[in-house]
Amino acid sequence: MEWIECISKAIEYIEENITADISVEDIAKHVNISAFYFQKGFSMLCGYTITEYIRNRRLSLAAGELATDHAKVIDVAMKYGYDSPDSFTKAFSRFHGVTPSMVQKNNMMMKSFAPLKIKLSLEGGYSMDYKLTKKESFTVMGVMKKFSYDGAKSIIPEFWKEHYEKGNGKYVCGMFGINIDEAMGHSEFEYMIADVYNPTTDVPEGFVTKTIPAFTWAVFPCKGAMPASMQDVNTKIFSEWLPALKEYEFAAGYCIEMYDDASKYPKGTGDENYYAEIWIPVKKK
């Protein structure tokens, strides 16, 4: 199924079941695609995760009911999947900037979050460099942390910043950024800042080793200033390359970012000639 059709069917399904207890797995099954692949593709193409989208739609609809239907806060909270008025009020206030009771009592400004609309545009005919490379298993050493897919795009750069501020760059310079989701789920994943492991050296306290299995990797070059060049390639992988490559699919829940030595470039990772790669494990369908 093409992504434009996949997302269109997913949005229709969400709107029809907006007050039901729906999960990413339910939606992915409805559009006949793996939850892992769907979550990643939706996030890349739409700018937020599927759970963020559903939450924003529910909070937008809830505000309309509170403002016009004189509904009770507890009833609206339960209708849109919150188990208590307190949790609903916290989420509502973060999204709208006002509390549910303020919306009921006053003519307050609220945020609207409309359903996604798919516009058909003529695209393609692009040139995208990549190569397929078989790699044996290899072991890396680094620091690892678990993240939720929601908000990870802004939190992971802070993880890198923290790594260097702690002085950990003297142990691991950060050749790799590794996304690990072995269950290929939709809620959480592990992210590792790593280098190739040298078994003759000790593993510092707080660091871990991880063996990356042997795979056939699709390797995509990213040329230009970070993070824009890598984000652009990532988007093209999900929106253009994978849908067009009919004979391959994801082999496992790994994604590796490989970074060249920034000291080789006058402007470091912000240099217009900076080089990095994205590695995606693939297999024949």
Side-chain angles (χ1 to χ4, degrees):
M1 182 184 297
E2 296 294 336
W3 268 113
I4 192 167
E5 182 185 355
C6 175
I7 293 180
S8 180
K9 286 191 68 174
I11 296 305
E12 181 180 334
Y13 179 78
I14 291 167
E15 291 302 311
E16 291 174 351
N17 298 276
I18 196 67
T19 60
D21 184 18
I22 53 174
S23 66
V24 173
E25 285 86 356
D26 295 331
I27 302 165
K29 184 178 181 181
H30 180 74
V31 297
N32 196 30
I33 195 169
S34 77
F36 178 79
Y37 185 18
F38 176 71
Q39 169 81 332
K40 279 187 167 290
F42 188 96
S43 179
M44 288 290 177
L45 298 175
C46 302
Y48 28 71
T49 67
I50 190 70
T51 51
E52 288 173 329
Y53 175 80
I54 293 171
R55 181 173 61 245
N56 291 348
R57 281 293 297 139
R58 286 173 172 170
L59 290 171
S60 179
L61 291 169
E65 291 189 20
L66 289 169
T68 60
D69 295 345
H70 307 292
K72 294 180 179 179
V73 172
I74 189 170
D75 292 338
V76 175
M78 298 296 289
K79 179 179 179 178
Y80 289 104
Y82 291 87
D83 55 11
S84 72
D86 286 343
S87 61
F88 173 67
T89 297
K90 288 178 182 178
F92 190 96
S93 300
R94 282 196 300 267
F95 183 75
H96 289 286
V98 293
T99 65
S101 59
M102 291 171 69
V103 169
Q104 286 179 312
K105 296 174 182 178
N106 303 287
N107 186 21
M108 302 297 297
M109 294 290 289
M110 299 172 294
K111 288 184 180 178
S112 173
F113 189 85
L116 282 169
K117 292 187 180 296
I118 306 299
K119 292 184 178 180
L120 182 62
S121 60
L122 189 62
E123 295 179 348
Y126 60 89
S127 175
M128 189 173 188
D129 294 334
Y130 75 96
K131 62 181 179 181
L132 295 178
T133 303
K134 289 185 177 181
K135 293 182 181 290
E136 297 300 321
S137 63
F138 63 99
T139 302
V140 295
M141 181 187 82
V143 290
M144 184 182 288
K145 191 172 183 179
K146 186 172 286 188
F147 293 93
S148 166
Y149 277 108
D150 289 353
K153 190 174 181 179
S154 60
I155 298 173
I156 286 179
E158 291 298 316
F159 183 43
W160 280 87
K161 182 181 178 182
E162 178 185 275
H163 173 73
Y164 293 117
E165 287 179 345
K166 287 182 175 179
N168 288 335
K170 64 184 177 182
Y171 303 116
V172 168
C173 68
M175 179 181 181
F176 299 116
I178 307 176
N179 181 319
I180 305 167
D181 185 355
E182 292 176 335
M184 294 183 75
H186 72 276
S187 58
E188 292 183 326
F189 66 98
E190 293 176 307
Y191 187 88
M192 191 174 185
I193 300 172
D195 289 343
V196 174
Y197 173 55
N198 181 351
T200 65
T201 61
D202 294 330
V203 178
E205 185 178 355
F207 286 68
V208 297
T209 61
K210 175 74 177 178
T211 298
I212 308 299
F215 288 117
T216 295
W217 299 86
V219 178
F220 301 85
C222 307
K223 300 175 182 177
M226 292 287 137
S229 62
M230 184 164 284
Q231 290 171 349
D232 179 59
V233 171
N234 237 332
T235 299
K236 286 182 178 178
I237 289 171
F238 283 88
S239 64
E240 300 173 352
W241 184 79
L242 271 172
L245 201 68
K246 305 299 183 184
E247 65 268 33
Y248 284 96
E249 63 183 354
F250 263 107
Y254 288 85
C255 179
I256 296 179
E257 306 150 5
M258 192 284 293
Y259 297 97
D260 198 5
D261 182 359
S263 66
K264 292 163 53 178
Y265 302 86
K267 299 179 184 178
T269 59
D271 197 274
E272 60 270 20
N273 294 312
Y274 183 74
Y275 182 81
E277 292 177 347
I278 296 172
W279 302 358
I280 303 287
V282 294
K283 63 181 180 181
K284 288 268 190 177
K285 291 183 177 178

